[in-house]
Amino acid sequence: MTFQDLVTMPSTFPSWIKLIPGRGAGPSAGAIVVFPHAGAAAASYRVLAAALAAGADTYIVQYPQRADRLSEPAHETVHDLAVGLFEAGPWASVAPLQLFGHSMGAVVAFEFARVAEEHGVAVRKLWASAGPPPCVVADMPELPTSDDEVLAELADLGGTDPELLADEEFAELLTTAMRADYRAFNRYDPSPEVCIGADIHVLGGRDDHRIATEVLRLWENHTAGAFDLSLHDGGHFYVYEHVETIAAQVNADV
C-alpha cells in the first residue's frame, strides 16, 4: 500500500456498512465481510452475520438503491460496485479479510478481492456461494430488468416470501434494487483468465436449479491459491437453511 493510499483511505466505516462485533475469546485475527445477493439489503444477512461474528468482527456491505442508500445512484458495473465498497472503508485496518458472497454477491466479493489485493490489503479467503465464476459470464444470457420480468425472476429464485412480493410498495423497492444489480451484472465483462491470489472455497446447494455443480467447480480457474468445494442440501438459497454449519466452516479459518 502506498503513502497516497493511506492518505486517501477513510478512517471510519460509513453507517451503511453494518458491523456485528466479534465474540471470539482471543485477539482479533481479521474480519469477515458479507456481500448480499442481487436485490438484497444488508438486513437479509443479519442472522448469518451474527453467526459469523462468533469468530470475528463481521461487516455486511449495503449496495446503492436500497435501504439507507436508496437515494444513491445505481452502480454501472459489478467492478465499479466493488471499487466503491472498497473505497468506502478503512479495510486495511481490519485485515486480513475473509469475504463471503452469495449468488451475485460472490462475483462482487471476487471483484472486491481483486481491488483489495491491488491495494495491498490482505484477503485470506473468498467464500463464493452459489455464484457464477467469471469465466462463464460471457456466455450467460442477459438478466431481466423490466418490472414484470424481475418479479418473475424473484419468484423463480425463491428466498423471498410470496406475500411480500404481493405487496406493491415492497415489490417496487425490491425491483428497483434488483434492476440496479442486474444491469450492473449485464455490463460485467471480465477476462476468463482473471485471477486472485487468495484461496477460494465454493459453497452450493445440491438442488440448485440456477447453477450446476460442474459450473461451481470452474471457480478453481480464478485462484492462484487453494481451492475447495462444499455442497449442502437445498436449492439456490440453501444458505438460509445451514447458517450455523456455514458459519462454523468460515470461522474454522479465522
Side-chain angles (χ1 to χ4, degrees):
M1 180 173 294
T2 66
F3 175 74
Q4 184 61 32
D5 289 329
L6 293 172
V7 169
T8 58
M9 182 174 289
S11 58
T12 59
F13 288 97
S15 61
W16 50 261
I17 295 179
K18 313 300 181 182
L19 168 63
I20 294 85
R23 304 187 303 277
S28 174
I32 302 165
V33 190
V34 177
F35 297 79
H37 60 272
S44 301
Y45 285 81
R46 282 181 300 189
V47 174
L48 175 62
L52 291 169
D57 286 351
T58 300
Y59 297 84
I60 319 171
V61 297
Q62 188 90 277
Y63 308 151
Q65 294 280 285
R66 73 214 68 199
D68 44 358
R69 301 188 71 191
L70 183 61
S71 62
E72 295 187 29
H75 31 276
E76 284 295 311
T77 71
V78 167
H79 181 74
D80 292 337
L81 171 59
V83 170
L85 295 172
F86 179 80
E87 291 179 344
W91 297 107
S93 68
V94 298
L97 307 175
Q98 294 213 64
L99 312 179
F100 182 98
H102 182 71
S103 197
M104 190 194 84
V107 183
V108 180
F110 175 79
E111 289 298 313
F112 185 98
R114 289 180 61 200
V115 176
E117 290 181 348
E118 287 169 1
H119 287 80
V121 175
V123 177
R124 178 178 294 158
K125 183 173 287 190
L126 166 64
W127 297 84
S129 171
C135 60
V136 308
V137 169
D139 296 325
M140 293 177 63
E142 284 214 341
L143 296 171
T145 54
S146 73
D147 286 354
D148 289 344
E149 289 175 323
V150 169
L151 285 172
E153 178 83 348
L154 285 165
D156 180 68
L157 281 169
T160 305
D161 187 334
E163 290 187 8
L164 291 176
L165 291 178
D167 182 289
E168 290 187 9
E169 184 176 350
F170 178 84
E172 182 180 359
L173 291 171
L174 193 54
T175 54
T176 295
M178 196 158 181
R179 185 185 301 109
D181 295 343
Y182 272 14
R183 285 176 174 167
F185 189 86
N186 287 339
R187 300 186 190 109
Y188 181 53
D189 187 25
S191 163
E193 291 81 31
V194 67
C195 192
I196 60 174
D199 298 344
I200 294 180
H201 192 134
V202 171
L203 303 170
R206 290 188 177 91
D207 301 316
D208 188 348
H209 70 292
R210 303 286 298 202
I211 185 163
T213 301
E214 56 266 29
V215 175
L216 292 176
R217 293 186 190 280
L218 295 176
W219 274 101
E220 186 172 7
N221 299 331
H222 300 291
T223 176
F227 174 81
D228 206 350
L229 171 68
S230 299
L231 297 177
H232 299 272
D233 291 337
H236 192 65
F237 285 98
Y238 75 92
V239 66
Y240 292 142
E241 302 166 26
H242 301 280
V243 167
E244 295 299 330
T245 300
I246 292 167
Q249 279 187 282
V250 176
N251 287 334
D253 276 349
V254 171

